[in-house]
Amino acid sequence: MNLPVSFPVDPILAKLTRSMPSGDYLYEPKWDGFRCIVFRDGDEVVLQSRNGKELQVYFPELDAPLREVLPARCVVDGELVVPSEGGIAFDAISQRIHPAESRIRVLSEKTPARFIAFDLLAVGDEDLTGLAMVDRRARLEDLCDWRLPIHLTPATTDPAVAQDWFDRFEGAGLDGVIAKPADGTYRPGKRALAKIKHERTADVVVAGFRWHKASTDDDRQVGSLLLGLFDDDERLHHIGVASSFSVARRRELAEEVAALGAPGDGEHPWQAWMDTEESPRGGNRWNATKDMSFELVPLQVAEIAYEQLDGDRLRHSGRFKHWRVDRDPDTCTYDQVEVAPPAELRDALAL
């Protein structure tokens, strides 16, 4: 493959902000799928993940469409998504990272992916990474005849339109809005963009935890807290985890969970999972060798920040805020969790 921008590329990144920036920006919906940079050189097509891995083996249904739609030599940054009746199906796309080719083939037919382009890094013999964002966008719009399953992301320079997207498209599974400096060049690996994401808070049950990979007998560190919510039948469902703690906080949490002690025999609703040495949601699809064992604690209540509830679980990891000793675990139910209103994916994709 001989292109002016070579594989692999560190993708440009975004820094989180809680308010919509105003000024000379280009705004786009923030898609909740897999970041993907497409390299095409003739008949050869490579799909690169955010961390530099090749993805094309997991998405064979996109090979022919990408070669039919994109020009013969180009590098295009974008996102892989799997649409569903209710919006973007993040669980469906994450299931595609599977070691069995037969399973990949079945899923490629059952839940086919789409590629959404949002930046152009190279075309022909031209390296475009030094151009301003607005100029790259103009070149991207004229790149080809965009058609299913290859999309061009919507974009606007109007912050009011971006705010409308932020409010209206959340129910379709979008993750927020990206604001790109109009005069910004493509800066690999740098957080040169802004992302505005949805965030809410909820009181949830902390029912267990996993040790951090750096934890030792002499230096105990908690890696993640296992979170749950009760349904109407008083069953405690595992909804995800709270993670991404600092080293100091991991050590503090180790002391805090140790002080809780162990649950009494037959008192914990997840004891059956512990007895079968299986986590409530099974193994880790990204790393089959990862230790998914966990420890149980007497049910506690904590307040977390979260972005969106996808079905009966968190779309992404929650962020632990603090313990709620004033709340009883059985009051942590699904009906206290805010759910995004539905929105048409057709609208989000401007179809």
Side-chain angles (χ1 to χ4, degrees), residues 157-175:
T157 57
D158 187 342
V161 173
Q163 186 64 52
D164 177 61
W165 289 345
F166 184 82
D167 297 334
R168 186 159 56 93
F169 289 158
E170 184 187 5
L174 272 72
D175 209 16

Side-chain angles (χ1 to χ4, degrees), residues 288-329:
T289 64
K290 184 175 181 179
D291 182 8
M292 297 298 289
S293 61
F294 61 96
E295 306 287 341
L296 298 178
V297 296
L299 303 187
Q300 307 294 308
V301 179
E303 183 179 353
I304 64 162
Y306 71 100
E307 292 156 14
Q308 186 171 337
L309 195 71
D310 191 4
D312 65 348
R313 67 184 304 183
L314 301 176
R315 184 176 286 261
H316 300 294
S317 296
R319 289 170 294 285
F320 180 88
K321 295 175 72 68
H322 48 250
W323 298 107
R324 288 291 306 268
V325 296
D326 58 324
R327 288 287 301 269
D328 293 327

Side-chain angles (χ1 to χ4, degrees), residues 29 31 154 165 168-169 172 174 342-351:
W31 302 97
W165 289 345
R168 186 159 56 93
F169 289 158
L174 272 72
E344 291 284 346
L345 186 62
R346 178 174 297 275
D347 291 341
L349 289 174
L351 297 180

Side-chain angles (χ1 to χ4, degrees), residues 4-254:
V5 174
S6 300
F7 171 89
V9 170
D10 285 336
I12 191 171
L13 302 174
K15 182 182 295 185
L16 183 65
T17 180
R18 291 301 174 196
S19 59
M20 192 75 64
S22 59
D24 197 11
Y25 286 94
L26 187 72
Y27 304 94
E28 301 171 0
K30 185 180 185 303
W31 302 97
D32 194 12
F34 287 172
R35 185 72 174 271
C36 177
I37 300 178
V38 176
F39 297 78
R40 184 191 175 187
D41 187 5
D43 287 336
E44 189 175 3
V45 175
V46 173
L47 308 184
Q48 180 205 307
S49 71
R50 173 174 167 167
N51 61 357
K53 303 292 180 61
E54 294 190 22
L55 292 171
Q56 61 271 16
V57 67
Y58 303 114
F59 300 93
E61 73 274 24
L62 289 176
D63 181 70
L66 286 168
R67 285 188 283 110
E68 290 170 2
V69 173
L70 296 181
R73 300 180 69 246
C74 62
V75 181
V76 183
D77 196 355
E79 196 94 357
L80 295 173
V81 301
V82 171
S84 69
E85 202 170 294
I88 298 294
F90 186 80
D91 275 357
I93 197 168
S94 62
Q95 290 172 12
R96 298 295 293 278
I97 310 301
H98 199 282
E101 182 180 355
S102 59
R103 179 62 175 162
I104 292 170
R105 290 289 176 185
V106 169
L107 292 175
S108 69
E109 297 175 2
K110 182 179 179 180
T111 55
R114 298 184 184 184
F115 175 71
I116 303 175
F118 50 63
D119 209 336
L120 182 61
L121 280 61
V123 62
D125 292 326
E126 292 183 83
D127 179 347
L128 306 182
T129 57
L131 294 183
M133 179 67 240
V134 289
D135 296 327
R136 299 199 310 276
R137 171 70 190 193
R139 295 287 297 271
L140 182 65
E141 291 175 355
D142 295 336
L143 184 68
C144 59
D145 177 19
W146 299 99
R147 58 188 184 274
L148 293 176
I150 314 301
H151 298 270
L152 174 66
T153 192
T156 183
T157 57
D158 187 342
V161 173
Q163 186 64 52
D164 177 61
W165 289 345
F166 184 82
D167 297 334
R168 186 159 56 93
F169 289 158
E170 184 187 5
L174 272 72
D175 209 16
V177 168
I178 293 287
K180 303 181 174 182
D183 61 354
T185 59
Y186 194 94
R187 301 173 60 193
K190 303 296 183 183
R191 293 194 178 274
L193 315 176
K195 57 184 177 183
I196 307 91
K197 299 180 69 173
H198 301 279
E199 182 172 274
R200 301 172 172 85
T201 61
D203 292 335
V204 299
V205 177
V206 175
F209 68 93
R210 292 192 179 99
W211 293 114
H212 191 268
K213 61 183 179 182
S215 182
T216 66
D217 289 341
D218 296 327
D219 184 19
R220 286 297 198 183
Q221 300 180 33
V222 167
S224 60
L225 299 174
L226 275 63
L227 311 177
L229 285 173
F230 283 99
D231 65 15
D232 292 339
D233 295 322
E234 300 182 352
R235 292 175 299 184
L236 183 64
H237 291 260
H238 175 51
I239 64 167
V241 301
S243 57
S244 300
F245 304 108
S246 68
V247 174
R249 188 68 184 109
R250 294 200 301 258
R251 289 171 175 150
E252 291 173 353
L253 283 170

